[in-house]
Amino acid sequence: MSALSNNNWDRRTVLRAALGLTAAGTLAACGSNTGRGGGSGNGLVQYFHAYGEAGTEQAIKRYAKAYKKANVTTQWITGSNFESKLFAALLTDQAPDLFEFHPQYQLIESGQVADLTDIVAPVKDDFNQADIASHTVDGKIYGVRMIDDPQFFFYRKSMLEKAGVQPPTTLEELVEAAAKLTTSKVKGVFLGNDLHAVIQPMIYAAGADTLNDKNEIAYHTDGVVEGLKQMRKLFTSGDLLLDAPADFWDPSALNQGLCAIQWCGMWAMPQFQQALGDDLGIMPFPKVGDAGKPAVYNGGWSMFVNAKSKNVDAAKEYVKWLWIDQKEYQEDWALSYGFHIPPRTSIAQSAEKLKSGLPAEGVKLFNEFGHFDRIGWTQAMITATEDVFANSVRKDGDPEAALDACDKKVNAELKKLFG
């Protein structure tokens, strides 16, 4: 259940782009092809994006069928149009009663998602507290986390051993390792085709953050500037795999021997292990600069109730039944179709598949170095940091100047959101 399906694009980014469009009121409504929305009587409609792992659609429909209090219909949105269908549908009477997405301040501010504090509060101590924090605004909890998706560097042990390379502990060492690992047939490192997947991990590894607790800029630091310079060095070195057949979320670059080290998510760990067996290692994003420390970026998906639905109470009851009460289904969803960390501490601790080997190592890295999205960090802000990478990593622009330009855009957004 990667954050992305079988398409060569970053679904998380596009989802947020769609949200930005919706917030600006520029996303057109999309007619009746969104399915039976705004369910009447005892019918509910839920929207899911098409996960890449086999069996996921059948699982979600199987859970829904087991629910006896309402007829729950699942719209399984394939291709690259989940976000446009979802956010267009939310503007119409075809809107789903519940849907998966990521916590976003705009959804709360616009009154689009229902307050779920009453169903989450009794069990909130059993959730990863960072997940609770990332869904909380003014003491109210919006959304129930379904899966946590930590991201790491995966590497071929044999390739590192042959080149006499230890797993890098600093970004500088990663750049040096990439050079030693590159041959006529293999590139040292793969960071994804557009490099966007490593922007936030690099910020965290520099000891910085996107925003601070007061919703002020926290990414413009000396460590981040140093990180951008190192990334520029790596980008121009010839040791970075660019234009791979599939993007970072797909394990094929490492599995097919196109690179020695690849950035990817824990969701792909079973596929990596199937292809590479014991020749597979993982490590966090290495520390950047003196103030830095290793970082693991956590993605994931959450369930929200449409506050404008005619069936808010029934939808909340179903969310409580499935994502709070049915621990067996929650573990199945997290661990039967790919590897994810269950947000419920009790499930994560008892899950046999996470207790040994590489999965256990992944959990340890996640617990020690994990970073979660800030609820106020919007798509416009993400795009602004992507511009920083475009101007100072892909092009030879001054990192400080690029960050100054980014600051202006981010501050304008923060003013819109928080005054």
Side-chain angles (χ1 to χ4, degrees):
M1 275 174 285
S2 57
L4 302 114
S5 185
N6 297 319
N7 303 286
N8 192 10
W9 52 282
D10 184 337
R11 185 187 298 279
R12 223 172 124 269
T13 300
V14 179
L15 281 164
R16 289 182 157 181
L19 184 59
L21 289 171
T22 309
T26 55
L27 194 53
C30 68
S32 59
N33 65 341
T34 54
R36 187 176 58 77
S40 58
N42 69 343
L44 296 171
V45 174
Q46 60 179 351
Y47 270 32
F48 275 77
H49 82 280
Y51 285 78
E53 293 85 334
T56 46
E57 180 181 5
Q58 292 79 4
I60 282 296
K61 291 181 175 177
R62 187 172 74 249
Y63 310 153
K65 194 175 179 183
Y67 187 62
K68 302 305 178 194
K69 289 191 177 180
N71 174 31
V72 182
T73 306
T74 303
Q75 294 290 320
W76 191 257
I77 313 295
T78 57
S80 58
N81 58 357
F82 172 70
E83 65 298 320
S84 57
K85 281 197 172 183
L86 170 61
F87 287 101
L90 287 174
L91 300 177
T92 73
D93 59 5
Q94 299 292 319
D97 301 291
L98 54 154
F99 56 90
E100 65 167 359
F101 199 59
H102 315 286
Q104 284 283 315
Y105 187 81
Q106 299 102 309
L107 283 172
I108 296 159
E109 187 190 37
S110 64
Q112 186 66 68
V113 293
D115 174 7
L116 303 183
T117 311
D118 56 336
I119 66 171
V120 180
V123 293
K124 83 171 186 177
D125 290 346
D126 188 40
F127 273 86
N128 184 315
Q129 290 308 292
D131 279 322
I132 294 294
S134 68
H135 290 68
T136 301
V137 172
D138 296 331
K140 294 178 180 176
I141 303 167
Y142 298 85
V144 180
R145 190 67 140 186
M146 301 183 294
I147 47 173
D148 282 324
D149 274 335
Q151 297 172 22
F152 318 103
F153 276 116
F154 292 79
Y155 61 88
R156 300 277 290 265
K157 290 179 183 177
S158 58
M159 288 185 177
L160 268 66
E161 283 165 18
K162 190 178 177 184
V165 170
Q166 292 295 318
T169 59
T170 67
L171 183 54
E172 203 168 6
E173 286 177 8
L174 181 69
V175 176
E176 291 166 5
K180 291 177 184 173
L181 290 162
T182 298
T183 68
S184 58
K185 293 177 181 176
V186 179
K187 292 292 186 184
V189 181
F190 180 49
L191 303 176
N193 287 327
D194 57 15
L195 310 185
H196 292 169
V198 295
I199 296 175
Q200 276 179 238
M202 191 207 79
I203 290 170
Y204 301 137
D209 202 339
T210 51
L211 302 172
N212 63 21
D213 291 341
K214 295 178 180 177
N215 291 304
E216 299 162 337
I217 286 171
Y219 58 80
H220 194 156
T221 68
D222 291 345
V224 169
V225 171
E226 185 179 331
L228 289 166
K229 289 175 180 174
Q230 291 287 345
M231 294 296 278
R232 171 67 183 168
K233 192 175 174 184
L234 181 59
F235 183 75
T236 55
S237 66
D239 306 322
L240 195 64
L241 176 64
L242 299 165
D243 303 318
D247 212 339
F248 83 97
W249 47 264
D250 185 290
S252 58
L254 191 71
N255 284 353
Q256 293 172 10
L258 303 179
C259 62
I261 302 174
Q262 174 182 343
W263 185 257
C264 194
M266 191 164 171
W267 58 77
M269 195 178 277
Q271 290 167 276
F272 279 126
Q273 288 182 305
Q274 193 176 358
L276 304 175
D278 293 335
D279 192 27
L280 182 67
I282 59 170
M283 62 184 189
F285 197 100
K287 81 170 205 158
V288 179
D290 294 336
K293 69 176 200 174
V296 170
Y297 172 67
N298 178 51
W301 291 88
S302 307
M303 185 52 59
F304 297 90
V305 169
N306 178 8
K308 297 173 182 178
S309 159
K310 293 171 186 168
N311 303 299
V312 170
D313 290 340
K316 282 175 67 172
E317 206 173 332
Y318 177 67
V319 171
K320 179 184 181 298
W321 175 82
L322 179 52
W323 299 111
I324 303 287
D325 300 338
Q326 302 301 314
K327 286 191 171 187
E328 189 182 330
Y329 290 152
Q330 291 159 40
E331 181 171 347
D332 180 67
W333 185 240
L335 290 162
S336 295
Y337 314 96
F339 282 172
H340 316 263
I341 297 178
R344 299 288 290 275
T345 314
S346 58
I347 300 175
Q349 287 174 348
S350 66
E352 288 298 326
K353 289 180 180 177
L354 299 179
K355 282 186 177 176
S356 61
L358 216 56
E361 201 178 323
V363 172
K364 186 172 179 287
L365 291 175
F366 168 75
N367 288 335
E368 193 172 351
F369 302 120
H371 290 266
F372 293 64
D373 281 317
R374 296 276 185 172
I375 200 166
W377 188 246
T378 67
Q379 175 54 34
M381 299 176 197
I382 290 166
T383 302
T385 60
E386 289 168 359
D387 291 344
V388 170
F389 256 58
N391 292 325
S392 61
V393 176
R394 287 184 171 274
K395 298 173 193 167
D396 197 20
D398 173 41
E400 280 288 0
L403 286 166
D404 286 342
C406 183
D407 291 350
K408 286 182 183 173
K409 294 172 188 171
V410 172
N411 277 323
E413 284 299 303
L414 289 170
K415 194 172 180 183
K416 270 194 279 185
L417 281 179
F418 302 106

